[in-house]
Amino acid sequence: MTTLLQRDIQTWRDIGGLHTAEEIAHQPAIWRALASILRKEQASLAAFLGDALSNPQQRVILTGAGSSAYVGEIVVDTLNAAWPAQIRAIATTTLLTHHELYLEADAPTLLVSFARSGDSPESLAAVELLRQIVPGARFLNITCNADGKLARQGANDSNTYNLLMPEGSCDRGFAMTSSFSSMLLAALSVLGKDTDWTRLDTLAQLGEQALSDWSAPVADLGSRPVQRVVYLGSGPLEALAKEAALKILELTGGRVMAMANTALGFRHGPKSAVTTESLVILLRSSKPLARQYEDDLLKELQRDSVAQTCLTVGIGGDLSADAPAWPDAWLAPLWLLMAQQYALHQSALLQLRPDNPFAGGIVNRVVQGVTIYGHDQF
């Protein structure tokens, strides 16, 4: 009988979690498929981008909502440090309400949209907003759904490039998993300065090993009741901590509260949330300086003896991998494999249906109930 993340396939099917389990487990294969796509599209992508990233006047906005916004937050500083262009991560949910803080009509602007379905109202509205306010704006849609409205509306537009993620990346489950990691790696590969296609293949190998090595201990951890989960990460891993915390909130239907912070920032008030019913997970940086600060906090938490469990994931962590000393943004998908599995097992522990924890429709896979208002109405 085939085992998938410590349960057989029929069991996942019976408890309503098969889609999510499969989508977590097939990510290394998705990353390999992404490498193949990017190799084929390298020339056309380079032609579309031209020398925009080398222009100090060029503005690049990385955007999305929810998990898609965290994709931008993870990669933005790595990309911004590599290029003269001004690269920022601004969620669609912020862009729509305060566009005057971020957009200028005469500034050359590239909007990079991350979208699993491409049907979220904010994603579509953000594109329309730029079309109205920034004449000549250009659009790079990194999306998992060729049939989504975002991809379809840009299909015949010379100022738009649709970069479609591999088949299977448009997650059927409620929570974004393979869609998240594929879009993140696509952004680093396409917008990064020194593209090394072998990184995706290496990361896929590391991911397969991590899934094999970690599945049993993560399943065991996920079988223990917990009330609060705290994810901590430094630099780009702070945004990864946000995504990891969101996975817990989503897949447990909000029954397990989760929060995210940095190792240094945690002492400044948020540490008060730690109780004997709390799990603290520290996502370790690849940067030695950051790890010094992380180690100090870890020792402090261990001395406090308040948290139910403290766990480290990443370079030199309790759950680690023989990973190269790459920038944290590149290693983020690897560490996320742990957080996704943990959230899945917590969902099963609470006897929810992980593929759709909100059967009543209070929260939806593609957001609903959003009214878009014209920017010139107020």
Side-chain angles (χ1 to χ4, degrees), residues 29 35 47 62 81 86 133 149 163 202 229 250 256 289 293 377:
L62 310 178
Q86 305 169 46
I133 293 179
K149 293 178 183 177
L163 178 58
T202 300
V229 177
E250 289 178 327
V256 176
L289 175 61
Y293 290 108
Q377 294 179 359

Side-chain angles (χ1 to χ4, degrees), residues 96-146:
L96 291 180
T97 60
H98 288 77
H99 62 85
E100 71 281 359
L101 300 179
Y102 310 108
L103 303 180
E104 288 188 16
D106 59 353
T109 303
L110 172 67
L111 185 73
V112 181
S113 296
F114 301 107
R116 173 172 65 173
S117 70
D119 290 324
S120 296
E122 296 98 335
S123 293
L124 301 170
V127 170
E128 183 58 29
L129 178 68
L130 262 78
R131 291 191 189 281
Q132 294 176 16
I133 293 179
V134 187
R138 304 171 76 233
F139 305 91
L140 173 60
N141 299 326
I142 300 180
T143 180
C144 304
N145 184 13

Side-chain angles (χ1 to χ4, degrees), residues 296-316:
D296 286 348
L297 177 64
L298 182 63
K299 292 174 184 176
E300 181 177 316
L301 290 168
Q302 291 169 340
R303 286 196 305 269
D304 293 341
S305 298
V306 175
Q308 181 185 100
T309 305
C310 292
L311 180 75
T312 56
V313 179
I315 301 297

Side-chain angles (χ1 to χ4, degrees), residues 225-228 273-279 305-309:
V226 66
Q227 290 184 353
R228 303 177 186 181
V274 177
T275 69
T276 56
E277 301 295 327
S278 300
L279 167 65
S305 298
V306 175
Q308 181 185 100
T309 305

Side-chain angles (χ1 to χ4, degrees), residues 110-364:
L110 172 67
L111 185 73
V112 181
S113 296
F114 301 107
R116 173 172 65 173
S117 70
D119 290 324
S120 296
E122 296 98 335
S123 293
L124 301 170
V127 170
E128 183 58 29
L129 178 68
L130 262 78
R131 291 191 189 281
Q132 294 176 16
I133 293 179
V134 187
R138 304 171 76 233
F139 305 91
L140 173 60
N141 299 326
I142 300 180
T143 180
C144 304
N145 184 13
D147 297 322
K149 293 178 183 177
L150 185 69
R152 286 190 284 112
Q153 72 180 14
N156 299 312
D157 179 10
S158 61
N159 284 328
T160 300
Y161 194 106
N162 287 328
L163 178 58
L164 297 174
M165 296 297 93
E167 184 177 354
S169 65
C170 191
D171 307 310
R172 296 163 293 173
F174 176 88
M176 287 177 62
T177 52
S178 62
S179 56
F180 185 93
S181 63
S182 61
M183 291 191 293
L184 189 159
L185 291 172
L188 288 170
S189 299
V190 171
L191 299 174
K193 195 164 191 177
D194 300 313
T195 301
D196 181 357
W197 302 113
T198 63
R199 274 191 175 180
L200 294 175
D201 297 318
T202 300
L203 200 62
Q205 294 174 9
L206 292 169
E208 288 169 343
Q209 190 62 51
L211 285 166
S212 174
D213 293 345
W214 299 352
S215 63
V218 175
D220 178 66
L221 186 69
S223 69
R224 307 174 202 169
V226 66
Q227 290 184 353
R228 303 177 186 181
V229 177
V230 178
Y231 277 99
L232 303 173
S234 304
L237 298 186
E238 179 185 4
L240 181 67
K242 294 179 184 179
E243 168 62 11
L246 180 59
K247 291 287 89 73
I248 284 288
L249 287 171
E250 289 178 327
L251 290 179
T252 66
R255 297 189 193 180
V256 176
M257 296 305 297
M259 63 184 296
N261 212 293
T262 63
L264 278 174
F266 191 55
R267 292 186 182 93
H268 293 261
K271 187 183 170 190
S272 59
V274 177
T275 69
T276 56
E277 301 295 327
S278 300
L279 167 65
V280 180
I281 301 175
L282 176 62
L283 304 169
R284 288 177 59 82
S285 174
S286 63
K287 185 177 179 182
L289 175 61
R291 290 204 301 273
Q292 292 282 351
Y293 290 108
E294 293 164 358
D295 287 343
D296 286 348
L297 177 64
L298 182 63
K299 292 174 184 176
E300 181 177 316
L301 290 168
Q302 291 169 340
R303 286 196 305 269
D304 293 341
S305 298
V306 175
Q308 181 185 100
T309 305
C310 292
L311 180 75
T312 56
V313 179
I315 301 297
D318 298 313
L319 296 179
S320 186
D322 189 19
W326 291 345
D328 284 321
W330 274 97
L331 294 174
L334 193 60
W335 315 141
L336 184 58
L337 292 173
M338 176 273 160
Q340 292 170 343
Q341 290 180 75
Y342 177 69
L344 174 65
H345 290 302
Q346 278 288 302
S347 184
L349 177 66
L350 293 170
Q351 299 184 338
L352 298 172
R353 299 185 71 78
D355 291 342
N356 184 16
F358 298 94
I362 296 174
V363 183
N364 300 281

